[in-house]
Amino acid sequence: MKIVVCYDIVENRKRQKVIDILERYGFVRVQKSVFLGDIRIRKVRELLFELSGVIDLEKDALCILNICEKCYGKGIFISRNMNYKMIEEEFFII
């Protein structure tokens, strides 16, 4: 399943832990606080467990969105951190 993770984390140390966790699960950073990944549902539960041990629910925010393959295929991704394949002149897809 395609997953988008975005966050607003106050403390630098906690933010770096979240980044490290996401990268370990194969997520790619598309913006400073936005990651994109392709992960199995079983691994999503593990990911949530790890992330919940890092963030402070009183100060931080974390959003995880599941995107269906059809919608993901219609996405436009423009980022220096990602590789593109041109589908049509104005559309890009990973």
Side-chain angles (χ1 to χ4, degrees), residues 13 15-25 35:
R13 187 179 304 167
R15 188 179 322 108
Q16 188 58 53
K17 284 182 183 180
V18 168
I19 291 166
D20 292 344
I21 291 169
L22 292 172
E23 288 177 344
R24 196 172 69 245
Y25 278 83
F35 281 76

Side-chain angles (χ1 to χ4, degrees), residues 20-54:
D20 292 344
I21 291 169
L22 292 172
E23 288 177 344
R24 196 172 69 245
Y25 278 83
F27 282 76
V28 176
R29 190 179 221 164
V30 294
Q31 291 185 0
K32 286 195 179 233
S33 61
V34 180
F35 281 76
L36 181 64
D38 194 355
I39 188 171
R40 297 188 187 279
I41 188 71
R42 183 180 90 254
K43 288 289 188 181
V44 171
R45 290 185 186 106
E46 293 174 18
L47 174 64
L48 286 171
F49 180 76
E50 281 195 59
L51 292 174
S52 66
V54 175

